[in-house]
Amino acid sequence: MKKLFLAAVMFLMASTAIHAQLLKIGVKAGVNFASQPGDASLNGVAFDKDGITSFHAGLVAEVKLLEKFAIQPELLYSTQGATYKFADAQEDFKNELAYLSIPVMAKIYMTKSLSLEVGPQASFLLSQKNDVRFDDANTFDFALNAGLGLKLTESIFLQGRYSLGLTDASPNADIRNSVVQLSAGFMF
């Protein structure tokens, strides 16, 4: 009976160690350099657009499937948008959209610490600071992401990513979200 109990304890310890290597949970945060490329007029009124600097933060997981391949789902709060200057206005107007973003990245490790990351992202609109007076922003945004990840240690990582929006940010304007993200994170 003692041998069976000892074998069960050793099996559980080995399973826990293997599970810890296959799944890692962490947090990340960083800066967004966001813009909204697209048609430079709204209802016939011309305007200039500039990007905004904002932020993102959230949870990240890494599921190691092969030695050099993993899936990285994330749950992020991310603000995006642009600053608009209409031709007849003296001041700038900011369109800032806050999203709950869910990227699912395929990670291909090129070295032990450097990875190429690509994948889709679904985002759901949480709030809108809309000084531009667009009607309403679309509540769903779909994007494709690509970037690089760098493990500094087993726990600390850096990421750089470009997110190209494929859906219009507003039903009344031909603009899409475009974001460069720089992140730092920690895996537990």
Side-chain angles (χ1 to χ4, degrees):
M1 187 67 161
K2 286 183 183 180
K3 288 182 183 180
L4 182 61
F5 179 72
L6 184 60
V9 168
M10 291 182 69
F11 175 76
L12 286 174
M13 288 175 41
S15 296
T16 302
I18 289 171
H19 179 69
Q21 291 177 355
L22 296 179
L23 174 66
K24 292 186 178 182
I25 306 288
V27 293
K28 74 181 245 183
V31 64
N32 286 350
F33 300 101
S35 63
Q36 291 182 324
D39 188 10
S41 68
L42 177 64
N43 298 329
V45 178
F47 56 84
D48 293 324
K49 294 182 286 186
D50 290 322
I52 63 171
T53 303
S54 58
F55 72 97
H56 64 277
L59 302 173
V60 59
E62 182 177 347
V63 181
K64 193 106 179 201
L65 300 177
L66 300 171
E67 183 180 339
K68 294 189 177 246
F69 182 75
I71 299 294
Q72 181 173 301
E74 301 175 6
L75 185 64
L76 304 174
Y77 177 84
S78 179
T79 55
Q80 303 169 22
T83 300
Y84 293 81
K85 180 160 184 149
F86 291 90
D88 58 350
Q90 296 296 328
E91 59 184 296
D92 295 341
F93 299 96
K94 191 174 187 180
N95 184 31
E96 186 175 296
L97 307 170
Y99 289 99
L100 176 66
S101 297
I102 307 169
V104 179
M105 307 299 288
K107 292 180 75 169
I108 302 161
Y109 281 94
M110 298 181 292
T111 68
K112 190 170 184 167
S113 59
L114 183 66
S115 62
L116 173 66
E117 303 172 0
V118 294
Q121 174 177 293
S123 297
F124 302 91
L125 186 67
L126 298 175
S127 67
Q128 176 181 10
K129 285 185 189 174
N130 195 345
D131 296 335
V132 186
R133 301 290 179 247
F134 290 141
D135 285 341
D136 285 325
N138 284 330
T139 57
F140 178 76
D141 186 59
F142 184 76
L144 290 179
N145 298 335
L148 294 173
L150 178 64
K151 283 185 180 180
L152 299 178
T153 68
E154 277 302 311
S155 298
I156 300 171
F157 64 90
L158 300 174
Q159 291 177 326
R161 181 179 297 167
Y162 176 69
S163 178
L164 174 65
L166 300 178
T167 56
D168 288 339
S170 171
N172 298 318
D174 184 21
I175 55 173
R176 292 175 172 76
N177 287 311
S178 174
V179 183
V180 173
Q181 292 182 332
L182 300 177
S183 309
F186 184 82
M187 290 292 204
F188 299 101

